[in-house]
Amino acid sequence: MSEKKSFGIKAAMVIALTTGASTLITADGHDMRDAYKRPAEIPFPDENPYVEDKADLGKQLFFDPRLSRENNLTCGSCHNPSFAWEDAQATSVGTPMSRLGRHTPTVLNLAWGEIYFWDGRAETLEEQALGPIQAGGEMAQDMDQLIDELKAVPGYVERFEDVFPGEGVTPENIGKAIATYERTIVSAQAPFDEWVNGDEDAISDAAKRGFELFNTKAKCVACHEGWNFTDWGFHDIGLGDNDEGRFEVLEIDALKHSFKTPGLRNIVERAPYMHDGSLKTLEEVVDHYNDGFTDRPSLSTEMVKLGLNADEKSDLVAFMKTLSSDDPAVSLPKLPN
Ligand code: HEC
Ligand code: HEC
């Protein structure tokens, strides 16, 4: 992960040959779609390997209101599976009825994550999970009190002891269990993937043209690369609010107003968009990139007026709609007593 990605290799990749039958072949002879093949397996870190019981425990914690001070909010209240693990609000409301400063990001596909939060202030999912439990505006819970509360639940004491023998209920193990569950939250195969795998009828011609634009004239691939459509980097794309994003963590001027590039899987279900939830539809997002952004010293050099016409804009939207998978419904876990 780098703060400002160089465009070198990709610039070569996106020079499409516009002659011949297909415009999806790059200058170096590759099919553009090859860079978007889904990985076969979920990666788990050596420090916190996958164990089924640990993931199950993590799921219980993710959906347990006892993790919040007022026992009224779960991680799933804001990261709701029905809204592709977001909550359809510009910014969510936390425990003391306080409006949060940023839009809830999805927890989909974070097993491949390199850094967490919009501003990258957490290095691992394990560390990230303990943030919202204690954050004043989110679950507002005191960690010592939470440990006491969970230790008073025999079902939890037993499960933690099974999964973490000799250690039991600790903040670190809460983080490990939740992170393991989160890594299992992966978007399923979408029509786009079927097309990448060779089914020409899986998506419309408009979506195919949109994919090509995404990789060429519209320059989206400069930051939204690979099967999950993110470089995990930080960029200022010229949104109008005053949030300084990554700058607040690193205090590097070039990173003012820079936020982590979100993946684009299941993006239609994830409206509204951006760290401030300021764009309501994918059409508004495309208009923003076309010519709606604010120019300022920290603006990414990849942000230039695109000159897309109405057909091209709707092709891009048609393409993004093919990234939604029909994921199985998530059933809530039975909580221990
Ligand atoms: C009140 C709403 C709310 C609750 C409850 C909540 N979150 Fe979040 N979550 C957010 C918001 C808002 C952000 C973005 C904050 C930021 O980046 O500054 C976030 C960020 C995250 C991220 C980072 C995603 C990324 O792409 O970097 C993860 C992971 C996450 N939350 C998991 C959890 C877990 C686990 C819990 C329960 C322990 C939880 N959240 C509870 C609203 C919430
Ligand atoms: C310079 C890098 C860059 C380029 C180029 C770029 N994006 Fe983004 N994209 C980002 C970043 C960073 C964000 C989050 C910005 C924020 O919230 O401040 C984002 C957010 C989005 C979102 C909203 C995601 C969410 O979870 O809210 C969509 C949709 C999107 N981009 C689509 C596109 C499309 C389509 C293009 C091409 C027309 C494009 N992007 C070009 C970096 C980029």
Side-chain angles (χ1 to χ4, degrees):
M1 197 274 313
S2 62
E3 301 304 340
K4 293 258 162 170
K5 278 251 166 168
S6 111
F7 194 45
I9 304 167
K10 275 169 285 157
M13 280 178 49
V14 297
I15 305 167
L17 294 178
T18 44
T19 51
S22 170
T23 51
L24 297 173
I25 304 302
T26 61
D28 55 6
H30 288 104
D31 189 319
M32 270 179 203
R33 290 175 288 188
D34 291 348
Y36 294 89
K37 282 205 183 334
R38 295 173 62 97
E41 280 175 15
I42 303 177
F44 287 87
D46 293 344
E47 310 80 63
N48 189 22
Y50 177 77
V51 176
E52 194 179 348
D53 284 349
K54 189 171 18 173
D56 289 347
L57 173 59
K59 183 176 181 181
Q60 290 177 318
L61 294 166
F62 193 93
F63 289 106
D64 193 334
R66 288 172 289 192
L67 262 64
S68 66
R69 188 182 66 200
E70 316 278 347
N71 296 334
N72 60 356
L73 273 184
T74 74
C75 308
S77 307
C78 298
H79 302 283
N80 182 336
S82 302
F83 297 105
W85 306 88
E86 297 189 8
D87 63 2
Q89 302 196 58
T91 59
S92 323
V93 174
T95 275
M97 290 304 285
S98 58
R99 187 59 72 179
L100 299 183
R102 290 180 185 154
H103 174 68
T104 303
T106 186
V107 295
L108 269 175
N109 304 332
L110 290 183
W112 289 267
E114 294 176 7
I115 193 158
Y116 304 92
F117 285 120
W118 283 107
D119 55 14
R121 64 187 185 279
E123 302 266 327
T124 64
L125 268 184
E126 285 74 5
E127 173 194 345
Q128 195 288 327
L130 302 181
I133 299 175
Q134 301 169 90
E138 293 186 41
M139 298 162 99
Q141 177 70 278
D142 177 83
M143 188 52 77
D144 292 337
Q145 207 177 313
L146 175 62
I147 298 295
D148 288 346
E149 250 181 86
L150 296 183
K151 280 185 171 164
V153 180
Y156 268 133
V157 173
E158 200 179 304
R159 290 220 88 171
F160 270 89
E161 200 48 47
D162 280 352
V163 177
F164 304 103
E167 297 176 11
V169 187
T170 66
E172 201 193 355
N173 290 341
I174 293 174
K176 282 183 170 172
I178 292 179
T180 302
Y181 171 58
E182 286 176 316
R183 291 192 178 98
T184 67
I185 302 174
V186 179
S187 56
Q189 180 109 339
F192 172 73
D193 300 302
E194 286 159 28
W195 179 59
V196 166
N197 289 338
D199 178 357
E200 283 303 324
D201 300 329
I203 69 173
S204 67
D205 288 341
K208 290 176 194 173
R209 290 191 300 269
F211 172 73
E212 191 188 336
L213 286 164
F214 188 93
N215 284 277
T216 53
K217 184 176 175 186
K219 293 167 75 72
C220 316
V221 72
C223 307
H224 297 281
E225 65 180 33
W227 77 278
N228 194 33
F229 299 90
T230 172
D231 59 358
W232 304 105
F234 297 84
H235 311 274
D236 173 5
I237 62 160
L239 292 161
D241 68 324
N242 293 325
D243 193 333
E244 303 224 287
R246 188 73 172 143
F247 173 79
E248 286 168 18
V249 181
L250 295 182
E251 303 205 342
I252 296 170
D253 279 348
L255 291 171
K256 280 200 172 153
H257 309 288
S258 291
F259 294 85
K260 191 176 74 177
T261 311
L264 299 181
R265 290 276 169 179
N266 298 47
I267 192 69
V268 206
E269 289 80 12
R270 286 163 46 198
Y273 302 106
M274 307 300 172
H275 72 270
D276 56 359
S278 59
L279 302 182
K280 292 184 191 63
T281 61
L282 290 177
E283 285 76 6
E284 284 184 24
V285 170
V286 172
D287 283 338
H288 170 84
Y289 283 110
N290 198 36
D291 57 9
F293 49 87
T294 304
D295 200 357
R296 56 191 166 209
S298 55
L299 185 73
S300 164
T301 53
E302 304 294 351
M303 295 294 296
V304 292
K305 293 203 168 150
L306 298 173
L308 301 172
N309 64 34
D311 286 344
E312 290 172 323
K313 289 197 238 174
S314 76
D315 288 349
L316 264 179
V317 172
F319 159 62
M320 285 191 274
K321 289 184 175 165
T322 69
L323 300 179
S324 286
S325 52
D326 203 0
D327 295 344
V330 175
S331 57
L332 292 182
K334 198 169 172 325
L335 298 180
N337 286 307

